[in-house]
Each structure stands twice: as C-alpha cells, then as structure tokens.
C-alpha cells in the first residue's frame, strides 16, 4: 500500500510527464513550417469534429429521447461555430442544448 506522500509524488510525476508530452510538439515545431504542418493545421480541426460527432452518435438509436438531444447538440454546436467562430461558445452552447433537450425528452 502506498503512503500519502508516495501517492502524491506519483500524481505529481504523472502530471509533469503528461504536461511535457502535450507541450513537446509545440516546442519542437516552433519556428518550423513544412508542408505537413500546414496540411495538418488545415485538416485537423475538421478531423477532430468528425471523430467527436461519430463518438456522440455511437449507440444512439431511433428513440427520440436519445437521438434528438444528440442531433440538437451537434446542430447547435455547428451553428454557433459558423456564426461566431468561437470554440468556447460553440462547446458550451452545444452542450447546453444537448442537456436541455435530454431533460425535456428524458
């Protein structure tokens, strides 16, 4: 069994490694431009959104209590993003619409 100090140390080490792994690509690619980086900067946002939509719709059936909130949340997120181009607004607004629709239909 780990002591409290050992557990705290493990959490700090894991957090530091996670932060370093997330920071490394930005540090390593700073000031460097390539065709690959340009391509990824153009295509990754759309790719990430496609994956998120697929994940959201996974397991959603024809039941209105499951499908309607998911589709409403996706539509609200896309609409807000097209309107304002602010990721925070899009995520919060889409999530809010999803939760509200889930509460009303659930």
């Amino acid at each position: 069994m780990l002591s409290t100090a050992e557990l705290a140390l493990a959490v700090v080490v894991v957090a530091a490694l996670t932060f370093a792994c997330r920071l490394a690509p930005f540090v390593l690619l700073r000031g460097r431009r390539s065709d690959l980086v340009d391509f990824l900067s153009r295509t990754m946002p759309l790719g990430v959104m496609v994956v998120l939509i697929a994940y959201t719709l996974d397991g959603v059936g024809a039941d209105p209590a499951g499908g309607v909130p998911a589709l409403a949340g996706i539509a609200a997120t896309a609409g807000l993003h097209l309107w304002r181009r602010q990721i925070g607004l899009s995520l919060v607004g889409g999530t809010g619409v999803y939760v509200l629709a889930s509460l009303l239909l659930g």
Side-chain angles (χ1 to χ4, degrees):
M1 188 80 151
L2 294 176
S3 70
T4 304
E6 292 170 331
L7 188 59
L9 179 62
V11 169
V12 168
V13 169
V14 170
L17 288 173
T18 300
F19 182 74
C21 287
R22 291 178 185 231
L23 185 64
F26 298 102
V27 172
L28 295 173
L29 295 175
R30 186 181 340 170
R32 298 179 188 175
R33 296 302 287 180
S34 70
D35 292 337
L36 176 62
V37 172
D38 289 338
F39 171 74
L40 290 175
S41 70
R42 286 191 315 273
T43 58
M44 284 302 293
L46 177 61
V48 169
M49 291 307 293
V50 168
V51 169
L52 290 174
I53 290 170
Y55 179 78
T56 300
L57 295 177
D58 182 42
V60 173
D63 178 27
V68 172
L71 292 175
I74 291 169
T77 302
L80 286 168
H81 185 70
L82 291 173
W83 176 50
R84 299 298 294 198
R85 301 268 186 217
Q86 294 178 346
I87 191 72
L89 175 65
S90 304
L91 290 174
V92 171
T95 302
V97 167
Y98 173 79
V99 170
L100 183 63
S102 294
L103 292 173
L104 291 175
L105 294 174

